[in-house]
Amino acid sequence: MTTTHAFWLAGREATGEATFDVTNSFDGRLVGKVSVPTEAQVEEAVAAAHAVVDEFAATPAHVRAAALDHVSKRLAERTEEIAQVISAENGKPIKWARGEVGRAVSVFRFAAEEARRFNGGEAQRLDTEAGGVGRLAITRRIPKGVVLGIAPFNFPLNLSAHKVAPAIAVGAPIILKPAPATPISSLILGELLAETDLPAGSWSVLTVPNDRMPALVKDERLPVISFTGSDKVGYAIQESVPHKHCTLELGGNAAAVVLGDWASEQDLDWAASRIATFSNYQGGQSCISVQRVIADASVYDRLVPKVVAAVEAQVTGDPADDTTDVGPLVDENAAKRVEGWVDEAVAAGAKLLAGGKREGATYAPTVLTDLPADVTLARAEVFGPVLTIAKVDGEAEAFAAVNDSDFGLQAGVFTHDLQTAFRAHRALEVGGVIIGDVPSYRADQMPYGGAKKSGVGREGVKYAMDDYTYERVLVLTGLAL
């Protein structure tokens, strides 16, 4: 009998009048049925969150930290079970799904640590001018209000964690809306939150369909929106509520630069291995997967065959198999879109060196060179296992090629030179520069976000906590400083 998963309404399980199916994109099997909240139930959740704003903000830090520690511990205990769910609903190879659970364990642990030291206050003497004699300013950070967290399908647990954990850490109620394709792992997160002593109403997980999202976005009781997804949807949200605080983690077409000093066989083998792995992990469905390789002419001819060989060595198949490196995309339509973009590029003159074939929702790891500048693949985010390689002459041309993009999330630069690393950090129009590795590296405690069309604001627990709060100053008068 197929399980019907309840959603979480103000901290308790609830079911609505309708359900939708979650299926496995590799074999089409039914993973589970998920209950859909009614309009009245959504209203109840929003009203409950709004009503508890002051109470939750005043909750002692140790209570919030204990809840976050509990979720971290329980995620670790249930790692294999949750990884199997992520793999089934997302199509993610099981080894990557296990890694995602491990990252979520860390996110909640980091949040517990930050909750304990957050808001210690900053004292500032104001008697630096005569009018401030006897006055002292104390600054604290105050939650802006209820957070609406809108999570994507590609990291259904960890990117939900990046919205929920910082909100709890600062004492901001949160309503989490998971992606319709991958809601079950977020509902398990709700199970773990329900085991804590957080105030009723301080969190909900609402499995509403995307066409009902605009009403939530525009609700004045939800002043903070944290969205991860496409630039088209993200900026539409921002434009619809310009008076709200929006954190937008959007797309990219991340570049890995291999400079001329990265020239030994060992260097190039390492770069090729990392590029091949992280252009294809998650089926390429990561905002910082390697989409573009920009190689100095002095290493290009040796690097290309190494990359092609490493890409062809990627094991494509059943995501439930421990040996699988590359599973299906989230659905067949996504794979067909990738197929169309590659076919367009090849028809325009790009050279196909590997891959280029689709089977259902699975698209083979693909490498192209000589990509024309005016094709879709050159400008947009492919969000699939496709890699292009371009030849450049020197550092300046390489950095200009990185910046020739509407996006700017992260970039990787393979160089041994420290001065080059600092020049890259200054010159590249991205949110993060990774030296000696691919742009796909992310530590969950570091600030993460982009420039240009890659979004606004930063995730990473401490930085999201700042995003969810504002500074409020208290001035004390008549003190003997």
Side-chain angles (χ1 to χ4, degrees), residues 56-322:
F56 196 31
T59 302
H62 74 88
V63 174
R64 288 179 272 117
L68 293 161
D69 274 330
H70 175 83
V71 174
S72 178
K73 177 182 176 182
R74 295 286 285 130
L75 284 170
E77 291 171 352
R78 296 176 64 177
T79 292
E80 187 61 25
E81 171 201 350
I82 299 171
Q84 294 289 341
V85 168
I86 293 172
S87 182
E89 67 176 350
N90 174 277
K92 181 175 299 192
I94 187 63
K95 66 181 182 181
W96 294 115
R98 293 185 184 114
E100 179 174 350
V101 180
R103 289 179 62 187
V105 169
S106 297
V107 168
F108 276 93
R109 186 180 73 251
F110 295 152
E113 295 165 357
E114 292 293 345
R116 291 185 172 96
R117 56 176 169 254
F118 183 70
N119 223 349
E122 178 183 349
Q124 180 182 18
R125 292 180 65 133
L126 301 179
D127 60 356
T128 51
E129 298 290 340
V133 171
R135 296 177 187 264
L136 181 74
I138 297 175
T139 303
R140 292 189 294 169
R141 299 198 68 88
I142 306 298
K144 294 174 180 174
V146 184
V147 177
L148 172 61
I150 305 170
F153 71 80
N154 57 332
F155 289 86
L157 178 68
N158 194 45
L159 293 185
S160 293
H162 269 286
K163 300 182 188 311
V164 173
I168 293 172
V170 301
I174 182 164
I175 292 176
L176 177 68
K177 182 209 166 308
T182 56
I184 301 176
S185 48
S186 293
L187 295 173
I188 294 175
L189 182 56
E191 292 180 28
L192 307 185
L193 290 168
E195 297 171 355
T196 71
D197 294 326
L198 295 174
S202 62
W203 62 273
S204 293
V205 182
L206 301 182
T207 48
V208 296
N210 287 341
D211 61 5
R212 289 170 58 189
M213 186 172 71
L216 277 170
V217 166
K218 292 179 181 179
D219 195 305
E220 293 297 327
R221 296 167 294 180
L222 309 176
V224 180
I225 298 171
S226 177
F227 171 84
T228 302
S230 72
D231 59 303
K232 179 180 178 181
V233 176
Y235 287 118
I237 289 173
Q238 187 182 54
E239 289 170 5
S240 72
V241 286
H243 58 291
K244 291 193 177 189
H245 178 89
C246 294
T247 298
L248 305 177
E249 298 298 337
L250 308 178
N253 53 5
V257 177
V258 183
L259 292 175
D261 70 311
W262 198 271
S264 72
E265 292 302 311
Q266 183 179 5
D267 283 344
L268 295 179
D269 285 342
W270 163 257
S273 172
R274 298 292 285 177
I275 288 166
T277 297
F278 288 98
S279 63
N280 295 293
Y281 85 126
Q282 327 288 340
Q285 297 171 125
S286 168
C287 297
I288 47 176
S289 66
V290 184
Q291 182 170 331
R292 300 180 291 154
V293 174
I294 299 165
D296 188 84
S298 64
V299 298
Y300 179 89
D301 289 338
R302 289 190 294 144
L303 177 66
V304 170
K306 291 177 183 289
V307 170
V308 171
V311 167
E312 290 179 334
Q314 296 284 301
V315 177
T316 303
D318 185 347
D321 189 328
D322 283 338

Side-chain angles (χ1 to χ4, degrees), residues 447-464:
Y448 175 78
K452 299 191 279 190
K453 287 188 178 179
S454 288
V456 293
R458 291 294 181 268
E459 289 191 339
V461 175
K462 177 182 181 296
Y463 305 92

